[in-house]
Amino acid sequence: MIGSAYKKFAKEKGLKVSGGVAYGSLGGYAVTLCEGGGWKRIDFAVTFPDPAGRVALTDLLNSSNLRKEYRVLNLIINAKVIQVTFHDTAGTMKVIRKFVDWFLPLLERYGATRADICAECGMPLSGGCWAQINGICYPLHEACARHLQAEVDADNVRRSEEDAGNYLTGTLGALAGALIGSVVWALVLNAGYVASLVGLLISWLAEKGYNLCRGRQGRAKVLILILVTILAVALGTFGSDAIELFQLMDEGALPGFGIADIPMFILALLVDNGEYRAAVVYNLAMGMLFAGLGVFFLLRQTARDVSGSKFRYMK
């Protein structure tokens, strides 16, 4: 999505806003503006007919202290896009404006293609259209756009056909991985801590188990990982209480009870002890919160991976 400050900037620069991004010609170069939690990004859809120009610009950017000067969190340069991600905090738009004023002349100096050149065939554009591929907008001839759309559709079909995975085996693998994470969660909680890092560990182990057991790379994968992560947090929460009860039994504080009685003991506490019930609800809520914070980025990337490539014409 794109916020009000970026929309204002886009309007000033003559860019269009559609589908949660701003796009168009910025200083004569094709760009896409987007943002998320704590970051703003500019994608420059440019190529370099002379490879030496790209190498020289890359060397210059790598030797510059972009983080200090322009709050650049990440810089990616590939064959068709230069992607610049900024840390979004107070005064970021002023820094982005400063960066744009510095960077656009560099694109001209090193011979980057402009927005009046088709991003696919490299020939001059007369009319044409804009299309978004995996979030980045490109100026294209109508025929080139149709060709790219056909390629994206064919690639998605090929990936689907080549995916010989199975949701059942993937789920079992995810459960195995998540259960290992739940043990860590129980130990950490028993020690008196709740850490978002453990939530990330649970999700990472769940996905690792899913992939090792050849789980199908479809949209249901994301739901499976979410559910097993929630289950692991719940098991870890009650596992922490089970560890505490076992320690009390080992110390002789609960005479007449053995390990086999722990599940029923916990159930009885849930039914009869309001204070314990409230503590469990609190621990579960905190566990889900921190696990959610820990797994958000991993699950978002997983969702992107399984959704395939996306193509759409811009309005």
Side-chain angles (χ1 to χ4, degrees), residues 13-16 22-33 43 115 130 137 139:
K13 299 299 182 180
L15 304 179
K16 294 182 179 180
Y23 71 95
S25 175
L26 177 62
Y29 296 93
V31 300
T32 306
L33 311 183
D43 297 317
W130 285 80
C137 300

Side-chain angles (χ1 to χ4, degrees), residues 133-203:
I133 305 173
N134 294 331
I136 301 173
C137 300
Y138 300 89
L140 299 162
H141 292 114
E142 295 282 356
C144 290
R146 290 193 297 270
H147 172 72
L148 285 174
Q149 184 177 25
E151 282 191 343
V152 168
D153 292 343
D155 183 62
N156 287 337
V157 171
R158 178 188 57 78
R159 288 180 55 186
S160 178
E161 291 175 346
E162 290 178 354
D163 184 5
N166 182 283
Y167 283 128
L168 177 59
T169 60
T171 300
L172 294 176
L175 281 171
L179 287 175
I180 296 173
S182 73
V183 173
V184 178
W185 181 263
L187 294 173
V188 169
L189 191 59
N190 184 255
Y193 301 98
V194 177
S196 59
L197 184 62
V198 180
L200 179 60
L201 175 65
I202 291 173
S203 179

Side-chain angles (χ1 to χ4, degrees), residues 237 269-270 273-286:
T237 300
L269 287 173
L270 280 173
N273 191 315
E275 185 177 346
Y276 173 74
R277 195 162 52 244
V280 167
V281 171
Y282 174 80
N283 286 335
L284 284 172
M286 292 301 295

